[in-house]
Amino acid sequence: MRAPSSCVCALLGLFLMANVLGAAEGQELGLGDLLGGGLTGDGLVQALTSQLVGLWETGDLEFLDHVCSFQVKPKIKRWELYFRGTMWCPGWTPIRGTSETRSRSSVVNRAVADFVQKALTSGLVTEEEARNWLNHQ
C-alpha cells in the first residue's frame, strides 16, 4: 500500500513546486502545466531543473572603486518563496549587507542598501562619497 501513498506525495510535491516556481516568475502554474504540454521524462526534468537553477544568482559589482560580490538564494518560509540577498566586499571590509524579500527583482538592491547603511554607520564611507557614487551611476 506504500506505492499509492508515495505517488500521491510525489504528485503533491510537484504541484507545490509548480506553484512556488510560478509565484517566483509572477505566474500561476498548475500540475497540468508540468505534466501536460508534452513535458515527460527528461523534458520534465530539464524544465524543472532550469526553473530551480534560475532562483540562485551570484555576481560582482563595483562600489567606490572596490569589487564587491553579491549572492541571491531562494528560501521557503511559511510555504512561500522568499529570496535572501547578500553583498560583501572581500579585501576591503568585513561588512555584509543582507536582505530578505519575496521580490526577486529587488533583493540585491536591498542588500546593497543595507551594506551602504552599515558602511555609513561604521564610518567606512561618508555620505558625500555615497552621494557622489550614486550620482555617477
Side-chain angles (χ1 to χ4, degrees):
M1 293 307 271
R2 290 186 61 89
S5 65
S6 298
C7 191
V8 169
C9 287
L11 288 174
L12 180 60
L14 275 174
F15 178 73
L16 289 173
M17 189 172 7
N19 283 327
V20 166
L21 292 174
E25 295 296 321
Q27 60 188 8
E28 289 287 326
L29 292 177
L31 185 59
D33 294 324
L34 284 177
L35 299 177
L39 286 181
T40 59
D42 288 340
L44 178 61
V45 170
Q46 288 176 348
L48 286 173
T49 302
S50 68
Q51 289 290 317
L52 288 172
V53 168
L55 298 177
W56 280 265
E57 182 183 1
T58 58
D60 294 323
L61 55 92
E62 189 174 321
F63 179 67
L64 295 176
D65 297 326
H66 296 277
V67 176
C68 300
S69 301
F70 69 89
Q71 181 179 50
V72 175
K73 293 194 275 187
K75 175 185 176 183
I76 303 292
K77 182 175 167 183
R78 291 186 220 121
W79 294 98
E80 293 183 321
L81 181 63
Y82 282 78
F83 294 94
R84 182 174 287 162
T86 308
M87 178 198 168
W88 68 100
C89 300
W92 182 34
T93 179
I95 294 172
R96 295 176 79 83
T98 59
S99 66
E100 185 174 292
T101 178
R102 298 221 353 121
S103 171
R104 172 68 179 80
S105 61
S106 70
V107 70
V108 173
N109 291 342
R110 291 180 183 197
V112 170
D114 184 57
F115 178 90
V116 171
Q117 184 60 49
K118 289 175 180 176
L120 286 168
T121 301
S122 73
L124 180 67
V125 176
T126 66
E127 283 188 36
E128 184 178 339
E129 288 173 319
R131 276 195 200 98
N132 287 337
W133 179 82
L134 187 60
N135 290 333
H136 291 95
Q137 295 305 307

